[in-house]
Amino acid sequence: MPTDASPPLRTRIRPYLLIAPTLVGAAYLLLYPVARNLVISVQHFRMAELIRGGAPFVGLDNYTELLTDPKFWTVTARTLAWTALNTLLITGLGTLVALMLVRLGRRMRLAVMSALVLVWATPVIAATTVFQWLFQSRFGVVNWALDQLGLHGYHDYAWFAHSGATFTVLVLLVVWQSVPFAALTLYGGLTTIPAELYESARIDGAGAWQTFRLVTVPVLRPLFALVTSLEVIWTFKCFAQIWVVSQGGPNGATTTLPVYAFQIAQNLHKYDLGSAASTLTVLILLAALVTTLRRMHRQEGAEA
């Protein structure tokens, strides 16, 4: 006869016991550093406290010192501009590459996708080193090519000695590394759109741009939101490329919030201010993400 008796307690808790080691490991690797960073950000924690311990609590003094420092706001504005520019270029170029992949033949599509995967799989430091070689002042390929094209002002041009040039090289590097992910993700979404929708748009006389705006964008809006959010996170917290190429220079022109926090903590040994800066970085990133997602949600609601 069927019974409504619940399974034994041992059976009910077995799934939780199986995943418990993973949860404990994740909590230790993810939550503990965040909690420790928050604690240090409200302490006076410099080199002396690192050696002997006993860091006193100072409340929100570290946050006050940062928020009243004009340099912090300059770096914040630069970080937001850096994030917006890179995200716009990555999403735009990724969309164009995805649309191109849909229209390519099978063999050419396979070749392009293989190249994208290789770019995406290239280690960050290796790719950064290659870009340093490309833009090297005396023996770099870029200067040689520009000189051959008649732009002789770029002969022996020191890209990494000028703030605007260094910023441009870093943008090119980050965009080059990030476009493959956006392109392949959006291409996967494009393959799920029914052909009947495009056929109906063509019958109604819609052009290529109208078809993209009225068919592709509404269907893939959640995917565009996902790609945009991930790229905002990726570019906002970008550190390795900037540090290897310029360490935030020249004259602080490429110093973003992650680099700024590292400079304070490691170069000045002000670990308390560095922790406060990293905490504010996370909060600003969350605010930027929430703003972006809410704007997309409002646009979706307006078009519904």
Side-chain angles (χ1 to χ4, degrees):
M1 294 179 59
T3 178
D4 295 332
S6 59
L9 178 62
R10 181 177 179 180
T11 303
R12 283 181 291 163
I13 67 173
R14 183 177 298 171
Y16 301 100
L17 293 176
L18 292 175
I19 65 174
T22 301
L23 293 177
V24 172
Y28 179 76
L29 294 175
L30 298 177
L31 298 181
Y32 174 76
V34 173
R36 182 60 178 155
N37 185 79
L38 288 173
V39 171
I40 294 177
S41 69
V42 294
Q43 292 178 322
H44 180 81
F45 201 104
R46 306 293 170 90
M47 182 61 73
E49 287 74 22
L50 178 65
I51 296 174
R52 68 169 184 256
F57 285 90
V58 294
L60 299 178
D61 289 355
N62 294 319
Y63 293 96
T64 302
E65 182 174 347
L66 281 176
L67 294 175
T68 54
D69 185 0
K71 183 178 180 179
F72 172 81
W73 294 108
T74 301
V75 173
T76 300
R78 184 184 300 116
T79 305
L80 294 176
W82 159 270
T83 302
L85 177 60
N86 279 283
T87 302
L88 179 63
L89 290 174
I90 292 167
T91 305
L93 292 175
T95 302
L96 292 176
V97 173
L99 293 172
M100 179 189 69
L101 287 173
V102 173
R103 289 161 175 77
L104 290 177
R106 181 178 178 183
R107 292 184 179 180
M108 184 58 69
R109 183 188 302 122
L110 180 60
V112 174
M113 292 179 69
S114 299
L116 291 173
V117 170
L118 288 175
V119 171
W120 191 16
T122 303
V124 172
I125 301 301
T128 303
T129 303
V130 169
F131 265 71
Q132 287 179 300
W133 292 343
L134 290 174
F135 289 90
Q136 207 271 341
S137 58
R138 296 192 61 186
F139 305 106
V141 175
V142 173
N143 282 356
W144 173 84
L146 293 174
D147 186 49
Q148 294 299 311
L149 292 173
L151 301 175
H152 303 299
Y154 286 95
H155 180 73
D156 291 344
Y157 182 75
W159 289 86
F160 303 113
H162 301 83
S163 58
T166 305
F167 194 90
T168 300
V169 172
L170 287 170
V171 169
L172 291 175
L173 171 59
V174 172
V175 170
W176 179 80
Q177 289 180 305
S178 304
V179 162
F181 168 78
L184 293 174
T185 303
L186 293 173
Y187 168 72
L190 288 171
T191 59
T192 66
I193 300 178
E196 293 80 3
L197 295 179
Y198 291 115
E199 185 66 24
S200 299
R202 283 192 293 268
I203 292 175
D204 291 339
W209 168 247
Q210 290 177 315
T211 302
F212 176 76
R213 183 172 62 88
L214 299 175
V215 177
T216 305
V217 172
V219 174
L220 295 186
R221 188 177 298 279
L223 194 58
F224 276 114
L226 174 64
V227 170
T228 302
S229 300
L230 292 177
E231 295 304 338
V232 167
I233 296 172
W234 162 255
T235 56
F236 193 96
K237 69 182 187 65
C238 184
F239 171 81
Q241 297 92 328
I242 299 175
W243 188 256
V244 171
V245 170
S246 65
Q247 296 188 1
N251 299 321
T254 58
T255 299
T256 58
L257 282 172
V259 177
Y260 179 66
F262 184 82
Q263 289 174 337
I264 294 175
Q266 297 300 320
N267 295 350
L268 302 178
H269 303 294
K270 297 181 179 180
Y271 307 108
D272 45 7
L273 288 178
S275 297
S278 63
T279 301
L280 291 174
T281 299
V282 173
L283 294 177
I284 294 172
L285 176 58
L286 288 175
L289 279 174
V290 170
T291 302
T292 301
L293 292 176
R294 288 186 63 184
R295 182 179 296 111
M296 290 183 175
H297 180 72
R298 285 198 299 267
Q299 292 176 352
E300 183 177 2
E303 295 179 1

